Amino acid sequence: VPLVALEDGSYYLTTAELNGYSYVTPMAGVGNYTQIQKYLTQMFSSNPVTREAANIIVLNGSGEPGVASLEKAKLAADGYVSPDTGDAPEGEYTSNYYVYNISDKLTGTAAALAERYGVTVLPADQLPAGIYANYYDFVIIIGNTTSETTE
């Protein structure tokens, strides 16, 4: 598992000098291994949701206040990276949930979201106009909230 020059450009280790000697130290500071431990736990997890750490945004298309925040809390409690929330653009969202795969790379998370919401994950090119998902791997739109929602 690499600890330097990861795909996202992050580093978990750096070098320092003390009394003329170079040594390797965590980026967080000498003796602070918290970031490294978190990263290794993620990388060695058998749960694809944990391992892939997808960036998710939950959008409220129902018009009912608070449903995106409630769903965000449920996702976070189930191990998804703390997703963002917002309002979906005006439109007809007749189904309970819509899930869009923006990155097309995180297949484990896509499968988990499809199972969770009982939907077929849609490709990014079907994303409704007005949603800019450049920083996200998945967009979840909550639509019709009159029927039962995810527990």
Side-chain angles (χ1 to χ4, degrees):
V1 175
L3 296 176
V4 294
L6 303 175
E7 285 183 17
D8 65 359
S10 62
Y11 291 78
Y12 289 95
L13 297 173
T14 190
T15 57
E17 188 176 319
L18 180 64
N19 298 328
Y21 294 98
S22 288
Y23 63 96
V24 177
T25 183
M27 287 292 291
V30 176
N32 184 345
Y33 297 96
T34 307
Q35 290 176 333
I36 295 172
Q37 291 166 337
K38 181 179 175 187
Y39 171 69
L40 292 175
T41 298
Q42 174 189 342
M43 293 305 295
F44 289 114
S45 174
S46 61
N47 181 345
V49 169
T50 301
R51 192 174 50 255
E52 294 175 351
N55 290 316
I56 299 172
I57 186 166
V58 181
L59 300 176
N60 184 353
S62 72
E64 183 180 327
V67 295
S69 294
L70 179 61
E71 192 62 28
K72 171 187 173 167
K74 290 178 185 178
L75 286 165
D78 289 341
Y80 291 84
V81 175
S82 294
D84 288 334
T85 60
D87 290 324
E90 292 289 325
E92 292 285 323
Y93 303 106
T94 56
S95 294
N96 290 354
Y97 300 98
Y98 301 84
V99 178
Y100 299 88
N101 188 344
I102 307 306
S103 71
D104 238 3
K105 296 177 185 174
L106 307 177
T107 56
T109 302
L113 290 171
E115 182 178 339
R116 177 184 187 94
Y117 295 112
V119 299
T120 299
V121 176
L122 302 168
D125 63 1
Q126 292 185 25
L127 196 64
I131 298 175
Y132 303 101
N134 297 352
Y135 302 105
Y136 300 101
D137 299 305
F138 293 92
V139 173
I140 299 170
I141 299 176
I142 301 173
N144 179 8
T145 59
T146 58
S147 60
E148 189 175 321
T149 58
T150 301
E151 294 294 322

